[in-house]
Every structure is written in structure tokens, then in C-alpha cells.
Amino acid sequence: RLQGDWSSDVCSSDLGRRGRTRSAAEVSERRWRAAAAVIGGDGIYLPGGEREPLPGGLAHAGTLGDLPAQLDLGWGGGKLPPHTGQLWLTAAFLERAGLPVPPPDQQIEDREQLLTGAAGLPFITAAVAAGWEISEASRARLGHRMRIWRAGNRAGAQLVFIPYISGEVHLLAGDPDPAALAARLDLYARTTGVPYGRSAAYSGHDLLVQLDARRKIVVTGPVDPVPARPAGTGLVSFQRAPAGEEAGRRFVHSYDTTAAWLGAAKGTELGVGEAVHRDRPDFDPRLPGLWRVTAPAWETWAIPDPFATRRKRDDGTAWFYTPLLAMAADPALLGAEVKPLEAWVWPEHTRYLDLWASELNKARLALAGPPPGYQPEDPDARAVLSALKDTYSGAVALFGSPQLDGDQEAGRDRHKLYRPDWAHMVVATATARLYRKILQAEEASPGTWPLAIDRDNLLYASDDPDPERACPAPLKTGNQLGQAKNKGSGLMAGAAELLTAGRFSFDKDLTPPGGWDRVRGGPRAEST
């Protein structure tokens, strides 16, 4: 049976007992052998250690086009067309097929020339001559992905040219052999609910579209972004010299918010339709919107002003999204009076990413290893967990990416998920939650301020060598959303000089949890 046959006899119902909608992983386990296979120079590698022989001849790419149907490769189905089965092609296979393999550290211009030339080689051109279809872009230049199909098999195959991938793909960490990569691709699909797509970020959007079948309010088409720019990105990076009692403390510990953007995506109200302009509205902390206000006063030097911006208008006002202003207006925090002069708000709104975030969080917890680092011992699981992190963080950033906006010259329509307001709202929520915890910690223990902030990572001074005990309330250590993980500790004697010089690095200047002595403080003897 061809993969292109989407009839319901293969998957008669997406509903389980009592009307429960089955997950994509459950549907796919019944219908498909796997989402992807890896083709090496000596065979086709599938999850579970299976290996099939290469097709005979390999005259052109069309010899791969029917493999997904023959091997039952694909993913999903039911209410939505299934994902095309993927074939990941290794360098060894490309060499056997007569396609070039870019040398390491090749210059961009040389790489472009190589990929353009590859599109004109017989492995590609002979497939077209034999009646196979590929995209116009792949006929002019090979990228890292190419779909190939024909009239008798519309599903065809999704070819992934591994050596042509640019940028970091965590599934390829450590240069896995074909069998290990096949296992990673399968684990990713089974835990996230979607196969690894064009990138981790696009995979996150694939999951969101897939989950639309389970929600009441659905984004049906693109909308115009609001004609106003927010005051800033909401991302914070700063460090300062220890002052007063801080300088006399013996240790520093870092606390990284667990999956901050994923946690922010869960629970954030997002606009669904078009934004509406309002003059001099009352501020509503429950309404997603972009508000023009005079920035609330910020009276501490210890951490950056979240409302500082270079994008102030001549009257001193600037545009801020709801979450930051709601934090400022909270009587238990700043108690600022927020009086908007105008706003763009979304009257129709919902927690659109709640289900998406819940599914990805389940996947994250399923892959996590033991405390304190929560890193899996298995290298394949570690690679998939890293890819999962890129999936949700990349998907949030992709909402605001020009890649999804319309481009007449490229013949590209605006995607319905081009929502810069969603990206800004999620990041603003994460930033507001971080500042709430910082302010609450200082209120609980006056004078307790972070020495450095790197996005979602906070550095605090302490006399306690144990980072778990030293964690300032209301921060709680753990791997659940809303908690924080200790990412490293160090001696104040070394950190103070770096902080004063503005050269402190969370990645390089702290000892990871596994190498830190929680009793006496300092690196463990075996790691010194």
C-alpha cells in the first residue's frame, strides 16, 4: 500500500475509548514502521537495529522515491495528511550516488557553487528525465532537503542530504553512525509527536498545526502585524561587581529557569484574529496587547531596568506588551500606575499554546535524566533532549521570523503562523516572570539581588556551599516548569574579579553540579 493512500481503512479512527483523541505517536505506532530511515553506503538503517539492503542500480534519485511506501515510512494521518517518509542520506551514500560531499570548513561561496553544481548531476537530472517530480528550487540548487514524487506515488520521499545541512542540528551531535541516527530520529518522533522536519523550530510549528484538530479556537489565516514596535526584545544580559556584604560571601551559584520559554508559552493569552486600535484605554492585565505608556519608574541599580529603551517617542512614551506592564502594575511588586495613551489589543484571545506546551513538556520530562543535572546518561537521549529544547525555543522565535512573512519576489504568501506578537508576548511573559521572582526574593531577604543575568540564568552570592540550600526563595530548584536548575557554582574569590571586569561567563567560569563539592565548597578533588 502506497504512503500516498490517505484513506481511512489504514487508520479508521483517531478516537480512543470515551472519545479521547489519540496522540500522533499512538496513531503512527499502529500505522507506520518509522518516521525515517538512514541510508548509508552499505544499507538502509531503521530503528531497532534493522538493516535493509540498498535498492539495486541507484541510477538516480527515483530509486529512493518508492522506498518509504515499501518500508512503511511516514508519520501521522487521520484528520490531516500524513508526513512523508524521510530518508536521511549519509556522506558515504552520497559518494556512492555520485553526489559531492562538502569538505570541512568550506567557504560559503564555494559551498554555494558545489550545491548548485550538484543539482545538475545525473543522480538528480536522470530522475527528472524518468518522470519523477522535484521542486524548482532543487532543480537549480540542492539544499539539505528535497521531496521527490511521481504521479503513481504522490507521497514519494523526503530526502535529507546530511552533509548539506548547515547550522547546528543536535540530532547529529557526536557524529552518530547510521543505526544510532535512525534510533534518534525515531525517539524524537515518538516523544514529540512529529518527525524532525525542516528544522527543530519548524518541527515545533508542525506539532502546533497537528494539535489544531484538538482545539476549539483555531487560527485560520494570516493577519497583519500591528504597526507599532515594542520597546525591546525582553532578553536580559548583564553583570556587575559584588557590593557590600555580597563581596564577603564565599560562593556564587547559578540558577537557570527550567524551560523558561516553554513555561511562558503555557498560560499566556495570545491574540487570535486582528488587533484592534484603542485611544486612551484602561489598562487590562488580562488582555493581550501592545500599549503605549510612560515607562514605569525603576528605583534600583542592582539589576537592569526592564523598561529602559532607546525606542522612546519624543513625548517619552514607548510601547510595551501586556506581561511586563502587568508585572509593573502588580501592587505586591512595583504598584505602578499604568495609563496607556493608545493600544493595539486582541479582543479575541486564548491560551493557544497551552496544549502544545503540555505535550512538549511531557516529552521533555520523559527524556530527562536524574538530578541535579537532569541530563540523560544515554548519548542518543541527550541528543534528542537537546533537539527538543531547540524545538520549543526555536518555534517561539519562528513566530516572529521574516521567513514566515510574505515575499512577493520569492512568490511566498504570509504563513498563518507568522505572529510576531506571539513571539514578543511569550518572551515578555518569561521576562516578567523572571523579574517577579527576583523582586520577590529581594522582598523575602532584603539586599538579595543577582550578580549577573544571562537571559533566564541568575547568579547569586552565598555563604552556603550547597546550591540547593542557597537557592533564594521563592525560587525552587527542580526540573518542573517554573522551577530552576543549578547550572554551576564557583568561588567568589575568582568570580568577583571577572564580574567587576565584565568578563564573567556562566558557561566557562562555573563548576557544573556534578563536579562541585556541596559540603566544603569548590570543585571536587577528582575534577581539579
Side-chain angles (χ1 to χ4, degrees):
R1 179 162 48 211
L2 295 180
Q3 180 187 334
D5 178 6
W6 296 341
S7 58
S8 58
D9 65 330
V10 181
C11 180
S12 59
S13 175
D14 286 340
L15 297 179
R17 297 177 182 176
R18 300 179 183 176
R20 181 180 67 86
T21 303
R22 294 185 184 274
S23 70
E26 292 173 314
V27 172
S28 296
E29 284 176 3
R30 296 201 316 274
R31 180 173 183 182
W32 306 107
R33 185 178 188 180
V38 180
I39 303 186
D42 59 350
I44 304 169
Y45 292 79
L46 292 139
E50 297 179 88
R51 189 177 76 174
E52 299 282 353
L54 292 172
L58 291 179
H60 52 68
T63 57
L64 306 179
D66 286 329
L67 281 180
Q70 296 167 6
L71 299 173
D72 291 329
L73 300 180
W75 194 263
K79 293 184 178 181
L80 295 175
H83 292 272
T84 298
Q86 299 179 8
L87 301 173
W88 287 58
L89 312 180
T90 64
F93 177 81
L94 294 194
E95 290 174 346
R96 180 165 179 169
L99 291 176
V101 175
D105 303 321
Q106 186 179 41
Q107 296 295 318
I108 295 177
E109 296 80 3
D110 295 335
R111 181 183 178 87
E112 286 298 309
Q113 185 176 357
L114 181 145
L115 295 179
T116 300
L121 293 174
F123 190 72
I124 304 299
T125 58
V128 176
W132 288 88
E133 299 285 344
I134 63 175
S135 68
E136 288 297 326
S138 294
R139 296 186 188 209
R141 173 194 177 277
L142 286 188
H144 76 277
R145 299 178 75 87
M146 183 183 85
R147 183 168 168 255
I148 183 167
W149 73 98
R150 61 179 175 174
N153 180 5
R154 296 292 297 174
Q158 183 75 250
L159 306 183
V160 182
F161 302 91
I162 298 174
Y164 299 166
I165 295 174
S166 59
E168 186 176 35
V169 174
H170 286 292
L171 291 181
L172 301 175
D175 193 22
D177 61 33
L181 179 56
R184 292 180 183 187
L185 290 165
D186 185 59
L187 181 58
Y188 180 91
R190 286 189 291 105
T191 52
T192 64
V194 289
Y196 193 90
R198 178 177 168 185
S199 69
Y202 279 97
S203 303
H205 281 207
D206 288 343
L207 178 61
L208 187 61
V209 171
Q210 183 173 281
L211 293 174
D212 279 351
R214 295 166 59 181
R215 67 176 85 251
K216 296 180 180 179
I217 300 176
V218 179
V219 171
T220 57
V223 299
D224 291 330
V226 297
R229 297 181 65 189
T233 64
L235 304 178
V236 183
S237 180
F238 108 109
Q239 54 190 272
R240 62 176 175 82
E245 294 182 2
E246 295 172 334
R249 290 173 182 156
R250 295 181 295 162
F251 310 109
V252 292
H253 304 294
S254 74
Y255 302 95
D256 187 42
T257 305
T258 298
W261 284 12
L262 187 64
K266 184 175 175 61
T268 297
E269 292 284 340
L270 299 171
V272 177
E274 297 277 357
V276 176
H277 184 264
R278 291 179 179 172
D279 285 317
R280 297 191 177 277
D282 291 330
F283 175 66
D284 184 348
R286 298 164 298 178
L287 183 64
L290 184 59
W291 314 77
R292 183 164 70 89
V293 301
T294 299
W298 188 252
E299 298 178 352
T300 178
W301 55 268
I303 56 175
D305 181 353
F307 306 104
T309 177
R310 296 179 180 178
R311 293 182 182 170
K312 288 185 179 179
R313 294 162 58 103
D314 292 341
D315 61 1
T317 61
W319 292 91
F320 297 96
Y321 275 96
T322 301
L324 278 174
L325 293 178
M327 182 268 292
D330 188 337
L333 296 174
L334 301 183
E337 187 177 23
V338 178
K339 290 187 174 182
L341 298 180
E342 60 177 320
W344 288 93
V345 298
W346 284 268
E348 184 182 11
H349 55 89
T350 185
R351 294 182 175 184
Y352 203 87
L353 299 180
D354 263 17
L355 179 59
W356 177 83
S358 293
E359 293 294 308
L360 289 176
N361 191 47
K362 290 177 186 176
R364 185 184 66 82
L365 293 173
L367 291 167
Y374 300 98
Q375 285 295 316
E377 295 181 2
D378 176 61
D380 294 331
R382 279 201 305 273
V384 174
L385 180 58
S386 295
L388 176 63
K389 293 176 181 178
D390 278 355
T391 299
Y392 56 75
S393 60
V396 169
L398 187 59
F399 289 130
S401 172
Q403 298 176 55
L404 298 188
D405 198 5
D407 187 331
Q408 291 184 349
E409 292 185 4
R412 183 178 70 224
D413 294 330
R414 176 179 291 159
H415 196 280
K416 70 177 184 179
L417 292 181
Y418 177 61
R419 295 300 301 255
D421 53 298
W422 287 13
H424 288 302
M425 198 77 74
V426 170
V427 174
T429 296
T431 302
R433 289 180 180 176
L434 187 72
Y435 269 84
R436 283 178 181 273
K437 290 177 181 178
I438 292 172
L439 294 172
Q440 289 167 353
E442 199 280 333
E443 182 179 9
S445 179
T448 301
W449 296 105
L451 296 168
I453 304 175
D454 183 22
R455 295 181 62 150
D456 311 307
N457 205 345
L458 304 174
L459 186 75
Y460 280 97
S462 176
D463 276 326
D464 193 327
D466 188 327
E468 304 293 328
R469 292 195 305 261
C471 183
L475 272 70
K476 294 181 180 180
T477 56
N479 198 32
Q480 298 292 332
L481 297 182
Q483 295 181 330
K485 293 192 286 285
N486 168 239
K487 298 300 288 288
S489 300
L491 300 175
M492 177 64 83
E497 182 179 351
L498 294 170
L499 289 165
T500 301
R503 294 187 288 108
F504 179 83
S505 170
F506 279 83
D507 295 325
K508 299 177 181 179
D509 298 322
L510 295 174
T511 300
W516 180 257
D517 189 324
R518 296 179 173 225
V519 177
R520 67 174 182 84
R524 295 183 186 276
E526 61 267 25
S527 63
T528 57

